[in-house]
Amino acid sequence: QAQLQESGPGLVKPSETLSLTCNVSGVSIYSFYWNWIRQPPGKGPEWIGSVYYTGSTNYNPSLKSRITMSIDTSKNQLSLSLRSVTAADTAVYFCARLQLGIRTFDIWGQGTMVTVSS
Amino acid sequence: SYVLTQPPSVSVAPGQTAEITCGGKNIRNKSVHWYQQKPGQAPVLVVYDDSDRPSEIPERFSGSNSGNTATLTISRVEAGDEADYYCQVWDINSDQYVFGPGTKVTVL
């Protein structure tokens, strides 16, 4: 069955770059939009952005100046880079598949906790 | 950007009905989706397009959308329904995906 698995460092220093990857297995990476969503402790999810298998992206305007998302179809892998992080970027980061027809996130990874601290 | 509001918490006795609201300007014009999230887990879709259910979700979960408020209703509440619930919409004007702040459902 479909599985998404996020990976990356659990601790990042302020002003540095947060880099995460998401491995997609059990489902084709083609013909879907793949998303990054984060959830600060005790708060609701926040959509970060999406990337299509062609490499086309759509970012949350509040983060657009600091993020880059990419996709490697040969590896079935997504990537997220978030630059100049602060404590406000501390969150659980999820990758998720978008069902474009109904605009819902139907498959999620388990999430990875990232803490920004010196 | 589009803003969604939810009550922070709802408490309900087992066997009773829980109603969780999601407010937004003219939300009736949008498709509202609902997710259930238990501690340490990823969100799970329980209702989509206002009132449809994924096949694996019990019929006890239902939804509606009218005016400026969408509602998720959980009938015959069970202890296992205790979780955080989030509404979500796609804002076509900005092509952005928006989540509500969440409602914690406590089963008494």
Side-chain angles (χ1 to χ4, degrees):
Chain A
Q1 70 278 22
Q3 283 192 328
L4 307 180
Q5 180 67 58
E6 305 88 349
S7 60
L11 181 64
V12 181
K13 290 182 168 55
S15 80
E16 295 189 343
T17 296
L18 179 165
S19 296
L20 298 175
T21 59
C22 172
N23 287 302
V24 178
S25 61
V27 64
S28 174
I29 203 168
Y30 296 95
S31 302
F32 287 102
Y33 283 84
W34 300 93
N35 298 260
W36 288 97
I37 296 166
R38 70 180 183 178
Q39 187 171 27
K43 296 187 177 181
E46 177 185 32
W47 176 74
I48 298 172
S50 64
V51 58
Y52 197 44
Y53 76 96
T54 58
S56 173
T57 56
N58 180 23
Y59 297 150
N60 186 323
S62 69
L63 297 167
K64 188 174 183 177
S65 64
R66 297 195 291 132
I67 60 174
T68 301
M69 294 176 59
S70 61
I71 190 167
D72 187 334
T73 55
S74 67
K75 295 181 179 179
N76 269 21
Q77 192 174 78
L78 325 172
S79 297
L80 169 70
S81 289
L82 177 62
R83 298 175 289 279
S84 304
V85 298
T86 69
D89 295 311
T90 294
V92 176
Y93 285 75
F94 297 95
C95 55
R97 187 180 79 170
L98 178 73
Q99 272 289 355
L100 190 58
I102 54 175
R103 302 282 179 173
T104 62
F105 303 101
D106 65 338
I107 302 174
W108 296 64
Q110 66 184 24
T112 185
M113 179 68 201
V114 178
T115 301
V116 178
S117 175
S118 55
Chain B
S1 60
Y2 196 76
V3 176
L4 297 172
T5 59
Q6 295 183 243
S9 61
V10 167
S11 298
V12 59
Q16 299 303 305
T17 298
E19 290 189 342
I20 305 156
T21 58
C22 176
K25 185 176 181 181
N26 296 323
I27 200 171
R28 68 183 182 278
N29 295 328
K30 301 185 182 299
S31 290
V32 180
H33 318 297
W34 292 91
Y35 299 83
Q36 175 194 71
Q37 186 179 33
K38 295 182 178 180
Q41 298 182 18
V44 172
L45 184 68
V46 294
V47 166
Y48 65 94
D49 281 353
D50 299 336
S51 59
D52 290 332
R53 275 179 295 104
S55 58
E56 65 274 19
I57 301 301
E59 291 183 5
R60 299 185 298 104
F61 289 82
S62 61
S64 63
N65 187 4
S66 178
N68 294 315
T69 304
T71 303
L72 173 69
T73 302
I74 311 173
S75 304
R76 303 180 299 283
V77 167
E78 303 174 356
D81 299 330
E82 190 163 280
D84 294 322
Y85 291 83
Y86 298 95
C87 55
Q88 176 250 312
V89 301
W90 173 55
D91 181 20
I92 191 172
N93 295 319
S94 61
D95 193 14
Q96 303 289 309
Y97 298 88
V98 180
F99 288 89
T103 297
K104 182 176 181 59
V105 171
T106 299
V107 180
L108 300 171

